[in-house]
Amino acid sequence: MIEAREVQKFFGSLHVLRGISLSVQKSEVLVVIGPSGSGKSTLLRCINGLEAINGGEIFVEGAKVDPHSRDVHKLREHVGFIFQRFNLFGHLTALENITLAPRLVKKMSNTEANEVGLRWLTQVGLSDKAKTYPAQLSGGQQQRVAIARAMAMSPRALLMDEITSALDPELVNEVLEVVTLLARQGMTMIVVTHEMGFARNVATRVVLMDEGKIVEAGLPSDIFDNPRQERTKAFLNKVLTH
Amino acid sequence: MQIDTMIHIGDWLFLLEGAGVTIALCLQAMFFGILIGLIVGVARTAKTRVIELPATAYITIIRGTPLLMQLFIIYYCLPLFGINMPKFLSAALGLSFYTGAYVGEIIKAGLQSVDVGQREAARSLGMVPWQEFRYVVLPQALRVIIPPTFGFLIALVKDSSLVSIIGYVELTRASKLVVARTFRPFTLYLAAAVLYFVLCYGLSRFDVKYLRKKFSASLTGT
């Protein structure tokens, strides 16, 4: 349902994505790992049209992603994005954060949106925080609200950009548990992460990126236990031994 | 012949009427000024040069020249090009453009103070640009915009006395006229100052008591 063909991306003279091709099927969880600056986050942002690509093509459910088209918002309606820094709307309560887009974009009534919102708040274990503002929530709670906010739009796929990188270590698990649950329920996801244990648990397929290219792709067991590429081995050695 | 140096009840009423004119003048300058400010403020944040450049030029010119000169140009120079307007319109126009430039710059700063992640989050949820602006960016920018805007508006009430120069009868001009007849500058200018103070104080109370409370609620979480 998501397909990238030979995607190229430049930031000025910096060549960030050098011909990335990948495809994600329905209910698949693709985990993207790799060192910082390898282009993982940029790839996710391109898939959602937050960045324009300079070459190649990206398709989501057969529709071409073009951030300059008038219909790009329709695509985003169906593809949720979870940010590293949560990006909850600071002027709205947790519940209002979740219900804003369903009301505006899906034209839900207030009652209906509140119902959906509360259901998702309960799903992420924060039903008692409906009226709380983001500034008063912990990082882990904010990120769970962000997940609920994305899910309330009933997206067909979720893109997660290092969603636990900005969290204190003790708050990481509460977020990963929610994501694992969604994966079990068959949510299609592309997950960029540095949490290797989580990657291994949740992934149906793992991709290792470095310097804007895909170095190796395969089942989690293959990548983590029998990596074929030297680059993969070197990366895993670095992240797994500390 | 004897000069009547008494301040009659009619003089006081004349002064109050001047204050009323000052209020009317300022209210319309605030209304149109904020409208202009909103447009040029948003234009200033535009990535397209053709939109951004005129807005920047406007703000730079207005902020770089004295209000007095702007009023002179509107009142004395425009008629040379065949554009004649009543004094109220000249005064109102001058103050509106003046307000627009300052408020525009404040609005621009306010809009830019909203983290780009907020816009991206709005977009990623499928909102279209105007929804993103209206429901996500603007409410958060207002918290930053309101305090300095009111600071400016309070200064505007006092600056509006400059339009007396082009002969428009507002509070300052009204008090001058009464002084000219009664020779009681101390009493009358003091009275005018008190009236200005009441206007400015009212404005600042409205800001602090009402607006800031309304827009900072989500910051403190009350």
Side-chain angles (χ1 to χ4, degrees):
Chain A
M1 74 175 292
I2 296 174
E3 193 175 1
R5 287 182 203 153
E6 285 297 312
V7 172
Q8 305 279 347
K9 172 73 186 171
F10 292 87
F11 284 122
S13 61
L14 198 66
H15 201 170
V16 198
L17 297 178
R18 303 166 182 250
I20 298 283
S21 297
L22 56 80
S23 76
V24 180
Q25 308 304 317
K26 196 170 159 23
S27 295
E28 205 179 1
V29 179
L30 181 74
V31 171
V32 184
I33 57 173
S36 298
S38 57
K40 313 179 296 284
S41 296
T42 307
L43 177 65
L44 275 195
R45 294 170 59 83
C46 289
I47 293 173
N48 205 30
L50 287 175
E51 299 282 354
I53 56 177
N54 306 110
E57 289 171 312
I58 298 173
F59 294 92
V60 174
E61 297 196 302
K64 192 170 168 178
V65 178
D66 175 9
H68 303 301
S69 91
R70 289 192 167 276
D71 292 330
V72 68
H73 63 275
K74 285 189 184 138
L75 167 126
R76 291 182 180 135
E77 199 183 319
H78 303 304
V79 182
F81 200 105
I82 320 284
F83 298 85
Q84 184 176 351
R85 301 220 48 95
F86 334 128
N87 294 353
L88 288 184
F89 304 133
H91 60 304
L92 301 177
T93 63
L95 183 62
E96 287 164 348
N97 259 279
I98 301 172
T99 58
L100 184 65
R103 281 189 288 129
L104 294 177
V105 180
K106 285 200 181 298
K107 312 281 177 217
M108 274 187 202
S109 68
N110 283 351
T111 335
E112 199 185 346
N114 281 337
E115 222 168 86
V116 172
L118 278 172
R119 197 165 68 230
W120 276 107
L121 265 184
T122 312
Q123 281 264 325
V124 299
L126 293 171
S127 50
D128 56 328
K129 302 288 185 194
K131 293 201 170 91
T132 311
Y133 285 90
Q136 293 164 317
L137 294 170
S138 73
Q141 290 170 333
Q142 288 191 53
Q143 194 61 296
R144 283 188 280 155
V145 173
I147 293 172
R149 180 174 69 175
M151 289 307 297
M153 291 297 287
S154 336
R156 302 193 189 129
L158 272 189
L159 308 174
M160 306 200 181
D161 186 10
E162 299 189 26
I163 62 169
T164 57
S165 299
L167 296 180
D168 291 337
E170 77 270 21
L171 302 177
V172 168
N173 279 335
E174 64 184 56
V175 173
L176 294 186
E177 275 162 23
V178 171
V179 180
T180 311
L181 194 72
L182 291 176
R184 298 256 155 80
Q185 291 167 352
M187 191 70 211
T188 311
M189 295 193 256
I190 302 183
V191 181
V192 168
T193 187
H194 290 294
E195 301 288 336
M196 293 304 148
F198 164 70
R200 196 186 186 122
N201 275 334
V202 82
T204 54
R205 217 147 44 89
V206 177
V207 160
L208 184 113
M209 278 181 70
D210 190 26
E211 295 181 339
K213 286 184 200 142
I214 291 178
V215 176
E216 192 167 349
L219 295 172
S221 52
D222 292 340
I223 299 282
F224 287 110
D225 301 329
N226 300 303
R228 269 170 292 168
Q229 302 291 331
E230 284 306 315
R231 187 67 194 86
T232 313
K233 285 178 199 164
F235 175 72
L236 289 175
N237 266 332
K238 265 192 196 143
V239 293
L240 293 177
T241 47
H242 66 73
Chain B
M1 192 188 122
Q2 221 181 0
I3 296 169
D4 178 12
T5 55
M6 282 283 291
I7 306 174
H8 298 289
I9 182 82
D11 295 327
W12 291 119
L13 288 176
F14 187 62
L15 218 60
L16 278 178
E17 205 184 314
V21 172
T22 291
I23 292 173
L25 196 62
C26 290
L27 280 180
Q28 71 74 37
M30 286 173 195
F31 179 78
F32 289 105
I34 289 171
L35 206 66
I36 295 170
L38 196 60
I39 295 166
V40 296
V42 173
R44 282 273 277 156
T45 63
K47 284 183 198 105
T48 327
R49 280 294 270 170
V50 242
I51 301 174
E52 186 262 340
L53 209 63
T56 305
Y58 161 69
I59 288 179
T60 313
I61 291 169
I62 298 285
R63 298 211 313 169
T65 52
L67 173 60
L68 195 56
M69 297 306 145
Q70 293 161 18
L71 291 169
F72 280 160
I73 287 170
I74 290 175
Y75 188 68
Y76 293 113
C77 299
L78 289 186
L80 299 180
F81 299 97
I83 307 167
N84 282 295
M85 43 188 139
K87 279 183 181 152
F88 179 79
L89 200 60
S90 299
L93 213 61
L95 289 178
S96 297
F97 280 120
Y98 179 67
T99 305
Y102 281 89
V103 173
E105 200 62 0
I106 294 171
I107 288 176
K108 181 202 115 179
L111 293 175
Q112 286 177 340
S113 76
V114 179
D115 186 70
V116 66
Q118 296 285 310
R119 294 169 179 270
E120 290 187 342
R123 249 174 282 162
S124 79
L125 289 162
M127 288 184 212
V128 292
W130 80 264
Q131 292 172 327
E132 167 191 327
F133 180 79
R134 163 69 184 79
Y135 295 98
V136 174
V137 177
L138 192 60
Q140 300 189 72
L142 279 178
R143 295 196 301 223
V144 180
I145 290 170
I146 287 171
T149 298
F150 269 82
F152 175 81
L153 294 181
I154 287 165
L156 174 75
V157 171
K158 294 175 284 174
D159 289 345
S160 73
S161 62
L162 279 176
V163 307
S164 62
I165 299 282
I166 60 173
Y168 187 59
V169 185
E170 37 64 76
L171 181 52
T172 300
R173 178 95 174 141
S175 45
K176 264 190 201 162
L177 289 174
V178 180
V179 168
R181 199 185 61 74
T182 60
F183 300 105
R184 298 283 186 88
F186 179 76
T187 319
L188 286 160
Y189 288 141
L190 187 69
V194 168
L195 285 170
Y196 275 114
F197 178 80
V198 168
L199 296 185
C200 293
Y201 188 72
L203 210 53
S204 86
R205 290 319 287 170
F206 176 71
D207 169 31
V208 173
K209 279 269 177 207
Y210 177 71
L211 285 178
R212 287 200 198 176
K213 218 178 220 164
K214 187 170 164 161
F215 286 97
S216 68
S218 46
L219 268 186
T220 53
T222 48

